[in-house]
């Protein structure tokens, strides 16, 4: 479920749309699959794996930015989900539960590999850098100026430049659609820290995309 | 309201997480400040581009190893 980008000139005073909700990838039979898997039906669990493997790999890759860690985290996350299926409360969404398990597996590996680059709840200082300068319009649909593979390279290059503190919060909150509270509890930081890091992550990503998207193509 | 104050509230504004008074103050500022409006539009587009992109693909060999490993580990867990 994507929100369309509405040019500001058309709706300068419109009420902002709340940020997108998690994509509705759950199908009608998910509940039945989970119930069957809980009762020991291995093929039902494998169907759940097939359904979410791409998204879970995207998540573990986006957090760890390392192929080996991402693969290990994904395998362990699915295995942990299988082992703890009986603890899953069926009133909640299976995918959200799975995302939190996978995020924890990925975070564990990230912290192990980069122990000095990932802080828990330290305040982020330095507001001066937040204020954008040299602002220029991107024009309509700037992303369509690039082929899909070029765009993928740009986005990967840009997100690689974000520090893990900011990247993890952006991935969980904006790409995976966890709530601010769910993100805080998954990462183990306060809600205020999530909001602060999310703001900076979004502004930094905008700034880094600016060189590719501005109308004069000055990158 | 200053541009700096608006920038600090961009996330809350985009998430619909502001009280009415502050939201209206921001919107009043945006009506007269093209730069802040551009920054808000570009920040929202940045989020949407990342959400909609296929920036990570699951390689076939990684997918195959996942299923092989899970089958092996699930069978071991059931013994």
């Amino acid at each position: 479920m994507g929100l369309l980008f509405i040019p500001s000139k058309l709706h300068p005073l419109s009420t902002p749309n709340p940020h997108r909700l998690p994509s509705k990838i759950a199908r009608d039979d998910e509940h039945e699959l989970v119930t069957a898997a809980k009762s020991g039906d291995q093929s039902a669990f494998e169907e759940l794996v097939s359904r979410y493997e791409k998204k879970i790999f995207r998540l573990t890759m986006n957090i760890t930015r390392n192929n080996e860690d991402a693969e290990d985290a994904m395998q362990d996350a699915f295995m942990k989900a299988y082992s703890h299926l009986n603890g899953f409360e069926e009133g909640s969404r299976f995918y959200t539960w799975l995302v939190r398990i996978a995020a924890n597996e990925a975070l564990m590996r990230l912290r192990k590999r980069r122990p000095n680059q990932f802080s828990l709840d330290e305040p982020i200082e330095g507001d001066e850098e937040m204020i954008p300068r040299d602002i220029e319009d991107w024009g309509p649909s700037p992303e369509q100026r690039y082929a899909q593979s070029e765009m993928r390279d740009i986005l990967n290059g840009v997100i690689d430049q974000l520090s893990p503190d900011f990247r993890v919060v952006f991935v969980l909150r904006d790409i995976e659609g966890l709530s601010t509270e769910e993100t805080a509890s998954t990462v183990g930081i306060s809600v205020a820290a999530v909001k602060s890091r999310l703001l900076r992550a979004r502004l930094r990503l905008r700034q880094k995309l600016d060189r590719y998207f501005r109308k004069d193509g000055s990158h | 309201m200053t541009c700096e104050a608006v920038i600090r509230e961009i996330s809350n504004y985009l998430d619909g997480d502001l009280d009415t008074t502050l939201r209206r103050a921001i919107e009043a500022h945006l009506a007269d400040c093209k730069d802040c409006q551009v920054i808000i539009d570009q920040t929202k587009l940045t989020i949407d581009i990342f959400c909609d992109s296929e920036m990570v693909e699951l390689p076939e060999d990684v997918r195959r190893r996942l299923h092989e490993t899970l089958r092996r580990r699930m069978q071991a867990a059931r013994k």
Side-chain angles (χ1 to χ4, degrees):
Chain A
M1 178 180 71
L3 294 175
L4 291 175
F5 176 63
I6 301 169
S8 60
K9 284 176 185 167
L10 297 179
H11 297 276
L13 294 176
S14 62
T15 302
N17 288 314
H19 184 53
R20 67 177 59 218
L21 297 169
S23 58
K24 292 190 173 176
I25 58 173
R27 298 180 202 162
D28 293 342
D29 59 349
E30 181 177 282
H31 174 74
E32 285 75 18
L33 283 173
V34 172
T35 305
K38 272 184 166 182
S39 65
D41 183 344
Q42 199 171 306
S43 63
F45 187 75
E46 285 193 52
E47 170 59 29
L48 289 166
V49 173
S50 297
R51 199 167 283 189
Y52 297 128
E53 60 196 7
K54 285 183 184 168
K55 284 175 176 290
I56 293 301
F57 186 68
R58 179 187 67 179
L59 166 68
T60 57
M61 190 65 196
N62 272 334
I63 290 179
T64 62
R65 305 304 293 168
N66 174 287
N67 285 306
E68 190 184 334
D69 285 352
E71 182 174 352
D72 288 349
M74 173 176 67
Q75 287 184 2
D76 285 352
F78 278 120
M79 199 55 217
K80 205 164 264 187
Y82 180 74
S83 307
H84 293 86
L85 260 182
N86 285 328
F88 169 66
E89 295 173 10
E90 293 194 30
S92 47
R93 274 201 61 202
F94 177 76
Y95 179 66
T96 306
W97 182 71
L98 186 59
V99 161
R100 294 185 69 175
I101 294 173
N104 274 316
E105 290 295 324
L107 282 168
M108 213 163 57
R109 284 162 178 81
L110 175 66
R111 286 171 179 143
K112 195 171 173 185
R113 198 175 280 273
R114 306 168 94 171
N116 301 320
Q117 291 182 47
F118 194 86
S119 57
L120 282 177
D121 208 1
E122 294 169 12
I124 309 284
E125 303 295 342
D127 273 357
E128 306 74 29
E129 59 174 325
M130 279 190 358
I131 311 303
R133 293 182 174 80
D134 188 22
I135 298 147
E136 187 174 319
D137 195 357
W138 286 353
S141 306
E143 73 276 23
Q144 287 175 11
R145 295 209 296 264
Y146 294 94
Q148 198 178 357
S149 60
E150 279 180 304
M151 195 63 201
R152 187 182 302 140
D153 290 346
I154 290 171
L155 297 182
N156 277 307
V158 159
I159 207 162
D160 264 339
Q161 294 172 44
L162 267 191
S163 79
D165 283 328
F166 295 158
R167 191 179 69 239
V168 165
V169 166
F170 179 78
V171 166
L172 291 176
R173 181 72 182 77
D174 279 343
I175 299 184
E176 299 305 327
L178 295 192
S179 69
T180 305
E181 291 74 17
E182 286 169 336
T183 303
S185 124
T186 302
V187 183
I189 59 177
S190 65
V191 165
V194 168
K195 288 188 171 191
S196 162
R197 289 177 194 189
L198 187 61
L199 171 64
R200 285 162 176 78
R202 287 168 168 179
L203 288 172
R204 284 184 187 181
L205 290 173
R206 186 211 70 83
Q207 185 185 32
K208 289 178 190 304
L209 287 182
D210 184 59
R211 61 189 288 254
Y212 297 98
F213 288 169
R214 52 176 49 217
K215 267 199 289 197
D216 65 8
S218 61
H219 72 281
Chain B
M1 197 166 194
T2 65
C3 293
E4 287 190 16
V6 170
I7 300 301
R8 285 198 180 84
E9 295 297 340
I10 276 187
S11 263
N12 291 328
Y13 180 74
L14 290 176
D15 292 342
D17 199 12
L18 288 177
D19 64 43
T20 308
T21 309
L22 189 48
R23 181 170 56 78
R24 284 187 180 153
I26 289 175
E27 285 171 347
H29 178 94
L30 294 180
D32 292 326
C33 182
K34 185 172 179 286
D35 280 356
C36 281
Q37 183 66 62
V38 167
I39 293 164
I40 284 185
D41 290 344
Q42 291 177 349
T43 305
K44 183 176 182 312
L45 183 57
T46 296
I47 298 167
D48 288 350
I49 286 171
F50 273 97
C51 285
D52 295 340
S53 76
E54 301 279 336
M55 58 187 286
V56 176
E57 289 182 335
L58 177 62
E60 182 51 34
D61 59 323
V62 174
R63 197 194 71 80
R64 196 188 62 246
R65 282 197 295 272
L66 168 68
H67 285 267
E68 286 170 357
T69 305
L70 284 179
R71 262 181 224 134
R72 196 174 59 246
R73 289 167 71 176
M74 285 192 289
Q75 277 165 8
R78 291 172 72 177
K79 284 180 184 170

